Amino acid sequence: MASTDRLRQITEAVRGRGQLSVAELAGLTGASEMTIRRDLEVLADQGVLERYRGGARSLLLRGEEPPFALRAQEGPEAKRRIAVEVAALIADGESVVLDSGTTCLEVARALRERRLTVMPMSLHAVNALVGAPRLKLLLPGGEPRPGELGLTGPLAEASLAALRFDTAVIGCCGLNAADGLTAYDLADAAVKRAAIASARRVIAVADAAKLSRTALAHVVPAAALHAVITDDTAPDEETAALRAAGVTVRTV
């Protein structure tokens, strides 16, 4: 099992049970106890769990978003493929509002050499785009969320309301035809809605795991999206349901 998959499995197991011993986690993952101890140190540093002698207890409540640092390690190749596909859909000269999140950060990297106007709603993406030679970078206002560094609040929403973009690239915590696009954080959901309202075209980016999740805050129904870009492990029933709702779905 890859280390990122094992970290995700440990996180979900400890969150589901509240706490687990090193021996229990070793049996669950098939890894050695020494490996599990190293993994627990990594997750403790990321604020996911708390170590105690012989095990760990979760610091994440059910329904909480895993930390940015942990999510950034998940499926990097799939996220890069999604980003390349999104970049191919955006023409030079367009104006783009770019949402926060790990997949949108990959999109920022894929757009760095393009002749575009981009307003990132995340300081991670701002850092990725600063100094790009041909790109015009617009900076919104707002309050950065800890760790995530997505910009939220009245200043972020006002920045979006003042502009009209050709394309909005929107990340999500969950996406399906029944519940639409959802987010864990209410302030983040409000910024996503404002970004969608400011754009003529909306492209949602979601790795396959997001298509089987529904988070707390509803953002928009699936029909409000023009396209969804996901990876080729996405469940067929979910992609078919999105297409039936009138959304263009591309798998990469």
Side-chain angles (χ1 to χ4, degrees):
M1 182 185 295
S3 62
T4 54
D5 295 334
R6 193 173 59 250
L7 290 171
R8 164 61 73 178
Q9 188 175 8
I10 291 169
T11 299
E12 292 179 349
V14 175
R15 178 159 53 171
R17 296 272 296 276
Q19 64 183 48
L20 285 168
S21 70
V22 170
E24 288 171 321
L25 290 167
L28 176 67
T29 62
S32 70
E33 292 191 10
M34 182 178 294
T35 297
I36 293 299
R37 289 189 183 93
R38 286 197 297 265
D39 288 343
L40 293 180
E41 290 296 336
V42 170
L43 293 171
D45 288 345
Q46 294 174 355
V48 173
L49 51 77
E50 178 184 33
R51 292 291 313 277
Y52 63 84
R53 186 173 179 83
R57 61 179 61 88
S58 180
L59 294 177
L60 295 177
L61 299 177
R62 186 179 182 277
E64 280 191 329
E65 186 174 28
F68 184 93
L70 178 61
R71 296 184 351 256
Q73 299 174 33
E74 298 175 345
E77 288 302 323
K79 291 174 183 176
R80 279 191 280 270
R81 293 197 304 272
I82 290 169
V84 168
E85 184 69 15
V86 171
L89 295 175
I90 295 173
D92 281 349
E94 282 196 42
S95 56
V96 180
V97 56
L98 183 60
D99 197 12
S100 60
T102 58
T103 307
C104 286
L105 177 56
E106 287 300 329
V107 174
R109 292 166 177 155
L111 297 178
R112 181 176 169 82
E113 303 304 319
R114 299 287 300 279
R115 190 181 297 277
L116 299 166
T117 298
V118 180
M119 189 163 83
M121 302 307 297
S122 156
L123 296 184
H124 288 301
V126 169
N127 287 336
L129 293 172
V130 164
R134 301 193 300 164
L135 186 140
K136 181 178 182 181
L137 185 62
L138 301 181
L139 299 184
E143 180 180 356
R145 293 170 58 204
E148 190 75 23
L149 299 187
L151 294 162
T152 61
L155 292 176
E157 293 174 45
S159 298
L160 290 163
L163 299 169
R164 293 296 177 268
F165 296 93
D166 295 306
T167 300
V169 180
I170 304 296
C172 64
C173 303
L175 173 61
N176 54 64
D179 296 312
L181 191 145
T182 55
Y184 287 112
D185 185 85
L186 296 177
D188 180 43
V191 169
K192 291 181 191 299
R193 280 192 293 271
I196 289 168
S198 74
R200 286 185 280 274
R201 176 177 64 161
V202 181
I203 300 174
V205 293
D207 59 78
K210 303 286 181 62
L211 301 190
S212 60
R213 295 179 193 159
T214 298
L216 172 67
H218 180 258
V219 179
V220 291
L225 309 173
H226 296 93
V228 171
I229 315 299
T230 187
D231 66 82
D232 57 10
T233 64
D236 291 339
E237 63 273 17
E238 293 293 350
T239 57
L242 287 169
R243 291 186 176 106
V247 183
T248 298
V249 180
R250 295 174 180 252
T251 58
V252 295

